[in-house]
Amino acid sequence: MLYTKCNKKKIIALVDCNSFYVSCERLFNPKIKNVPVVVLSNNDGCVISRSTEAKQIGIKMGEPYFKVKHLVKKNNIAVFSSNYALYGDLSRRVMNILKKFSSCIEYYSIDEAFLDLTDMIIENINDYIVEMKKIIYQYTGIPVSIGVASTKTLAKVANFLAKKKDNGVENLTIRSSNEINSILQKIDVRDIWGVGSQLSKLYKKNNINNGYELKIKNTAWIRKNTNIIGLKTVAELNGISCIDFNDGENAPRKSCCVSRSFGKKVETLQELEQSITSHCLNAAEKIRQDQQLVKSVVIFIKTSPFDQSNFISLSKKVDLPIATDDSFVLLDICLKALSEIFIKGQKYQKAGVFFLGLQNKENYQANLFSIKDSEKSGKLMKILDDANLKFGRNFMSVGDVGFRGSWKMRRDYSSRIDTSDFECLPTVNSG
Amino acid sequence: MKDTLPLILQKVSAGFPSPATDYIEEPINLNDELIKNPSSTFLIRVQGNSMIEHKITEGDVLIVDRSLKLKSNSIAVLNFEGELVVKKIIQRNNKYFICSTKNNSLDYLEIESCLDTQLWGVVSYVIHKV
């Protein structure tokens, strides 16, 4: 039943921005073009983006900043606080350019998108993706890698290969199955899309160590020992496209942000509460219209970046145990978070609310239902892991709790540039 | 595409009709007029007065379109020795040169010969507050 709807060979591209946040910071700061750079998560907690040079030095993804501080100092690594206003604007530009290359796009995350090229009239796929990469770089300055294959899972593999190549593109649709098999043999099963850490442990215990061994595993065993996602992964490794495409404009958004600069500077908690309340209610209304639920909430307040001596940007992320679209629950969380990060005596210039990890209400409820049916509680974690992987990979939880009370000492390395705010434009020297 | 259409505002009423009702048009949208390719266009603020002879002064906002090709007499933003700078570009014998006015003398810098100089984007408009 799983396979019947997939009869036509598809052509699917995965476009992934290279070290996206670092690339955004580099765009207006050529000084850091060839030096190691890292970008830190909210409140400068963890490393969430690394340049190639920083990776080579041994900085790991998600590592707490204090743990790598000695490496940063020793190697003169440029450090930035995350500047989501800038990254969001550049992401929007990249995604808009992709529309010229396919009418069927799934915006997978802030820096990744799947394109269905099956029905496009393309003379040569290689030339097409090389051109796509060139245009994106010329228009936005963001380098991307592009992988093409007959399924999403294989497109991920192709992208993985593309990242290691000088030209940054890989097209598996022109490779023989022998070639693809030997490629899959070199990929750890843990690195196959859709295989979480739990599942990879199970596979390795059963001697499935790489992508090829998973591809040739008999489906009866997979069906018995995993779930529908496991089955789909194996089918996709075999070139049978099974994972749905959330295409084009109809694709549900994955995050929703409402923020506004104040007409005049705001100092009191009460005024900020009013602003956060209105942003929160607006955002809640938007997501309810789209039949979505919120998994994480981020609120932020900041002072003017022109206030050189005293620029502060405060934010807090709260992960909800159960996704909700209830305005009262959401508002309660926002206001509590605000009261925790608020500092008296500052002149605030902007406040905002982000809803992250948005998910389809129907799907979410279906997932909850399937939990009841499952025998192992591990499956609950699997679903949560998958949701995290799918919706939240750029928004790692940093354990804000641990930083509470000490955030006053937190240094801020923000580039302060906002390409979508007239007051915070990048600058150029005429000298 | 605009989602609003001009309405006929004139109601049947006594008195003089407004002469303006014959000319109801969309207001000018500066974004549409000045930004042909929004995905590749950035606004960048100028620091310094070194481009004053080209009517670009401190605080001006440049509309920079990265999709445009360099032409002779273009004003362009360049990545110049690790810094973003705005310069006048001149074409000679199919090659582009940076027109710089250091030490009051005009010297040309060949862009291609200089590895740490790259085109960032071409300026299409300058917004100058008066």
Side-chain angles (χ1 to χ4, degrees), chain A residues 2 9 19 37 52 57 76 89 136 138-139 151 163 176 212 264 305 312 321 327 351 380 391 431:
Chain A
L2 187 61
K9 262 278 190 243
S19 310
V37 184
T52 314
I57 287 166
N76 256 328
D89 184 53
I136 294 168
Q138 191 202 333
Y139 284 19
T151 69
K163 281 231 151 40
S176 70
Y212 177 67
K264 77 182 200 338
I312 53 168
S327 287
L380 169 61
F391 299 108

Side-chain angles (χ1 to χ4, degrees), chain A residues 147-163:
Chain A
V148 175
S150 56
T151 69
K152 277 184 170 180
T153 307
L154 287 174
K156 273 270 184 186
V157 170
N159 196 284
F160 188 74
L161 299 176
K163 281 231 151 40

Side-chain angles (χ1 to χ4, degrees), chain A residues 257-318:
Chain A
C257 173
V258 179
S259 71
R260 204 131 300 146
S261 299
F262 300 120
K264 77 182 200 338
K265 305 279 185 296
V266 154
E267 280 187 65
T268 68
L269 180 59
Q270 197 196 356
E271 286 169 295
L272 285 173
E273 277 175 346
Q274 287 167 1
S275 149
I276 289 288
T277 301
S278 107
H279 294 340
C280 174
L281 295 179
N282 279 338
E285 196 181 312
K286 274 190 199 173
I287 61 118
R288 272 199 305 275
Q289 274 169 7
D290 293 344
Q291 299 286 314
Q292 289 181 312
L293 299 173
V294 181
K295 197 72 185 63
S296 308
V297 174
V298 174
I299 71 146
F300 71 87
I301 49 177
K302 62 179 196 178
T303 61
S304 167
F306 292 116
D307 196 352
Q308 293 292 345
S309 60
N310 208 6
F311 172 69
I312 53 168
S313 170
L314 305 166
S315 64
K316 182 168 174 68
K317 178 167 181 269
V318 182

Side-chain angles (χ1 to χ4, degrees), chain A residues 23-189:
Chain A
S23 298
C24 293
E25 295 293 348
R26 279 178 166 166
L27 181 58
F28 296 104
N29 190 351
K31 270 197 191 72
I32 57 166
K33 213 167 176 196
N34 297 307
V35 305
V37 184
V38 297
V39 175
L40 305 177
S41 61
N42 287 324
N43 296 327
D44 298 345
C46 301
V47 174
I48 51 166
S49 182
R50 306 160 296 157
S51 71
T52 314
E53 299 83 358
K55 287 175 193 169
Q56 279 159 0
I57 287 166
I59 307 261
K60 298 273 181 300
M61 189 69 175
E63 238 173 343
Y65 179 48
F66 70 87
K67 278 195 179 169
V68 296
K69 230 170 185 168
H70 66 286
L71 284 174
V72 166
K73 228 175 183 175
K74 195 175 139 204
N75 296 284
N76 256 328
I77 299 175
V79 177
F80 291 87
S81 306
S82 38
N83 178 351
Y84 284 110
L86 177 65
Y87 311 155
D89 184 53
L90 285 165
S91 170
R92 187 178 53 76
R93 290 163 185 267
V94 171
M95 300 304 170
N96 276 334
I97 294 166
L98 292 179
K99 286 184 196 163
K100 291 186 184 144
F101 290 90
S102 170
S103 53
C104 183
I105 302 173
E106 178 182 345
Y107 305 109
Y108 185 63
S109 72
I110 193 164
D111 57 356
E112 273 176 291
F114 286 105
L115 276 67
D116 191 337
L117 305 179
T118 314
D119 298 324
M120 305 290 292
I121 298 156
I122 302 168
E123 214 166 284
N124 180 313
I125 294 172
N126 278 42
D127 293 348
Y128 197 72
I129 56 178
V130 165
E131 174 72 5
M132 199 189 307
K133 181 182 157 69
K134 202 185 110 198
I135 292 281
I136 294 168
Y137 184 74
Q138 191 202 333
Y139 284 19
T140 67
I142 301 296
V144 299
S145 304
I146 305 177
V148 175
S150 56
T151 69
K152 277 184 170 180
T153 307
L154 287 174
K156 273 270 184 186
V157 170
N159 196 284
F160 188 74
L161 299 176
K163 281 231 151 40
K164 295 182 174 167
K165 289 169 65 179
D166 286 338
N167 69 355
V169 297
E170 171 64 46
N171 176 9
L172 287 182
T173 63
I174 53 165
R175 301 231 180 253
S176 70
S177 58
N178 277 345
E179 277 178 300
I180 293 178
N181 287 346
S182 76
I183 286 164
L184 288 175
Q185 258 163 6
K186 291 184 199 109
I187 295 179
D188 194 300
V189 73

Side-chain angles (χ1 to χ4, degrees), chain A residues 281 288 325-333:
Chain A
L281 295 179
R288 272 199 305 275
D325 62 355
D326 185 323
S327 287
F328 294 105
V329 173
L330 291 166
L331 186 57
D332 195 47
I333 288 162

Side-chain angles (χ1 to χ4, degrees), chain B residues 83-101:
Chain B
E83 216 184 333
L84 289 187
V85 296
V86 54
K87 292 286 182 193
K88 172 104 171 171
I89 303 296
I90 289 175
Q91 192 184 27
R92 292 275 185 279
N93 308 321
N94 285 324
K95 284 184 172 150
Y96 294 105
F97 298 87
I98 300 170
C99 182
S100 119
T101 50

